[in-house]
Amino acid sequence: MATQIAATEELLAYIESVSRPEDEVLGALRELTAELPGGTAMQVPAAEARFLSLLIRLTGASTVLEVGTFTGYSALCMARALPEGGRLTTCEVNRKWTDIAAEFWERAGVADRIDLRLGDAHETLAGLRQQGGGGSVDLVFIDADKKSYPAYYEASLELVRPGGLLVLDNTLFFGRVVDPAADDPDTDAIREVNELLRSDDRVEPVVLPVADGITLARKKDA
C-alpha cells in the first residue's frame, strides 16, 4: 500500500531535474529574492509556480486574483498562463517588494496583464467587491500574512465565481498545525481557516501535502 513519501532534499532536486527549468528571467528573480531577508522562505517553489500556471490553463481562468505579491514570481508565472485578454490583479502592502516585481514583469513582457494594488489587502478586496461585484473572479491565490487568512478566505469566496477555484498556500505551515506547543497567532489562523474550509458547504476543498501545504477549494455552483 502506497503512503506519502518524505520530500527529502534529494527528491526535491530530482523533481527539478525532470521538470522544465526556469528561464533566465525567473532564475534571476529567484536569485535576487534569495538575497533578501527571509526571501527563500517567502518565495514560492518553482514547482508550485508551475502548478499554479497549470491550474490557470486547466480551468481556463482569465480573471485571476492574488493576495500577496512579494517580489512577483508567482504573479509572473500566472500572468504568462493567462489567455489573450486575461488579467491578474495582485495585492501587496510593501512597495519595496513590488518595485522588484515590476522590473521583472517588464522584462518578462507580462506587465500589461498585471494590475498591482498597493495597500492593505482587506481594503483592496473590499474595493474589488464594490468595483466588480461578487462572482467576478475565476481563480484566487492566497499567499499573504497568515493571521488574516480567515478574512482573506471569506472575502475571496465572495469574489470568486461559482465553479471557480481558490488556492491557499502554507496550509500545513511548516508542520506547526499539528504541534500542540504552537499557539502563535499565525498558526492559530491557519488552523482556523483549515477548519472553515472543512466545514464550509459552499466549497469542495482538498488539502495537498505539496510544498508547505496547498489547499484547493472549488466554489460550488449556485
Side-chain angles (χ1 to χ4, degrees):
M1 182 70 70
T3 58
Q4 184 70 32
I5 60 175
T8 63
E9 291 296 326
E10 292 79 11
L11 191 56
L12 292 173
Y14 174 77
I15 291 172
E16 288 304 310
S17 74
V18 296
S19 300
R20 293 186 177 179
E22 298 171 315
D23 62 17
E24 184 273 331
V25 177
L26 287 174
L29 177 53
R30 181 171 296 282
E31 290 177 6
L32 177 60
T33 302
E35 297 173 0
L36 301 172
T40 300
M42 293 172 67
Q43 177 76 278
V44 298
E48 183 177 353
R50 288 191 290 265
F51 180 57
L52 291 169
S53 298
L54 186 60
L55 285 175
I56 289 173
R57 292 190 172 98
L58 286 172
T59 60
S62 61
T63 306
V64 175
L65 170 63
E66 178 181 52
V67 185
T69 312
F70 193 36
T71 57
Y73 188 99
S74 52
L76 194 163
C77 292
M78 291 191 288
R80 281 178 166 173
L82 289 170
E84 185 175 353
R87 194 75 172 162
L88 167 70
T89 300
T90 185
C91 313
E92 176 59 53
V93 71
N94 193 327
R95 183 181 291 276
K96 179 171 66 174
W97 305 141
T98 60
D99 284 347
I100 296 171
E103 175 188 343
F104 281 87
W105 296 339
E106 288 286 351
R107 287 175 59 178
V110 298
D112 61 336
R113 305 178 196 176
I114 299 175
D115 176 12
L116 172 63
R117 303 291 181 99
L118 271 170
D120 183 275
H122 300 283
E123 297 177 5
T124 299
L125 293 172
L128 290 172
R129 178 70 173 80
Q130 292 179 344
Q131 175 185 329
S136 59
V137 176
D138 297 317
L139 184 147
V140 181
F141 177 49
I142 301 175
D143 183 19
D145 62 294
K146 308 313 168 193
K147 66 180 181 297
S148 295
Y149 262 41
Y152 292 154
Y153 167 67
E154 288 292 347
S156 297
L157 189 59
E158 286 190 37
L159 286 164
V160 78
R161 64 170 175 80
L165 187 66
L166 294 96
V167 184
L168 291 81
D169 199 15
N170 306 114
T171 51
L172 298 180
F173 206 44
F174 308 105
R176 294 176 63 84
V177 289
V178 294
D179 181 358
D183 60 356
D184 57 281
D186 288 341
T187 304
D188 286 343
I190 294 295
R191 292 187 183 118
E192 180 183 347
V193 81
N194 288 341
E195 286 297 322
L196 282 172
L197 282 153
R198 181 182 68 85
S199 59
D200 194 339
D201 290 337
R202 298 170 295 177
V203 296
E204 300 168 286
V206 59
V207 183
L208 303 177
V210 175
D212 190 32
I214 301 173
T215 298
L216 308 181
R218 177 186 178 273
K219 184 174 180 178
K220 292 182 179 179
D221 297 322

